[in-house]
Amino acid sequence: NFFGIKESRNYREVTSFDLSGDVHYLTTKSGILYELKNEESKIVLDLSNDPNFVAKGAPGLLGVVSNNDFVYISYTISDDETHDDYLVVDEYSKMFQKVKTIIQIGFVTPHHHGGTLVFDKLGKLYLSVGDGGTPNDAQDIKSLRGKILRFDISEKNPKPEILAYGLRAPWKSSIDSKNRMFVGDCGDQ
């Protein structure tokens, strides 16, 4: 029993934690976002009911981070017509009303999406994006795949800024107290 989360299968599906502030958040691959407060948990968002949400293979609800009055999540959707996947980052109010979509990045395979979200000390939002199984995209600075992207969320329509490229599957990243970023990139066998 972790913060009242009793379904044991959800322990195996945990993809991300946000431990900043008094309220914490936990995401599961299957699309459930938990709010953890005062040793209690409650489901505040369930993407599994969205017909476009996809959680087969690597995709799913991948990341969560909060900043001031907003919560940001990253997750995958699928286009029924093209069968392409998209990595999406949305901004929500603390009442979990969707404010806007920050970015949507297309993938032709269900692999290497990344999806970790972190903030730096200056309030900039970072997103890790995998190469989608197409390694040439990671080296191509015209593509957003295989990169670490930064967004100035104080802007009305934040544009992605490429900070690092050449990454395969940057599954996790963090920023330490000295504002240094560490990235866990999965290599090939």
Side-chain angles (χ1 to χ4, degrees):
N1 185 344
F2 178 74
F3 282 98
I5 300 171
K6 296 180 176 132
E7 302 124 40
S8 62
R9 70 179 184 87
N10 284 340
Y11 292 128
R12 295 189 308 264
E13 293 185 344
V14 171
T15 53
S16 180
F17 277 101
D18 175 42
L19 300 175
S20 60
D22 295 335
V23 178
H24 306 286
Y25 299 97
L26 176 145
T27 59
T28 66
K29 184 177 181 299
S30 61
I32 297 173
L33 174 62
Y34 290 94
E35 181 182 84
L36 311 171
K37 186 176 180 180
N38 300 326
E39 298 187 25
E40 297 283 324
S41 71
K42 71 177 180 178
I43 296 172
V44 291
L45 192 64
D46 185 352
L47 296 176
S48 66
N49 298 321
D50 181 338
N52 293 327
F53 175 73
V54 62
K56 296 176 186 172
L61 178 53
L62 302 171
V64 62
V65 67
S66 62
N67 187 32
N68 299 324
D69 296 326
F70 299 100
V71 176
Y72 299 83
I73 62 167
S74 65
Y75 61 97
T76 52
I77 60 172
S78 183
D79 184 315
D80 289 337
E81 293 179 22
T82 65
H83 301 290
D84 290 343
D85 286 348
Y86 293 88
L87 176 63
V88 179
V89 176
D90 285 340
E91 178 182 82
Y92 281 83
S93 71
K94 292 275 180 144
M95 301 303 294
F96 289 93
Q97 306 254 324
K98 183 175 169 183
V99 176
K100 64 184 172 186
T101 296
I102 301 293
I103 195 163
Q104 185 170 308
I105 301 170
F107 290 84
V108 294
T109 71
H111 308 291
H112 308 172
H113 292 152
T116 297
L117 296 166
V118 294
F119 275 99
D120 68 11
K121 288 182 176 183
L122 302 174
K124 306 286 186 186
L125 177 66
Y126 294 78
L127 169 67
S128 68
V129 183
D131 67 8
T134 53
N136 292 339
D137 284 352
Q139 300 295 330
D140 182 356
I141 59 170
K142 293 178 184 170
S143 169
L144 296 178
R145 292 185 291 271
K147 314 290 189 286
I148 299 293
L149 304 177
R150 179 170 62 188
F151 300 88
D152 182 351
I153 58 161
S154 67
E155 297 176 356
K156 184 176 180 179
N157 297 305
K159 302 292 183 213
E161 176 187 359
I162 296 172
L163 284 195
Y165 66 94
L167 302 170
R168 181 175 184 263
W171 172 237
K172 291 296 173 196
S173 62
S174 63
I175 297 177
D176 72 4
S177 61
K178 295 180 181 177
N179 224 26
R180 298 176 298 182
M181 177 175 277
F182 296 86
V183 178
D185 190 15
C186 302
D188 203 355
Q189 297 180 4

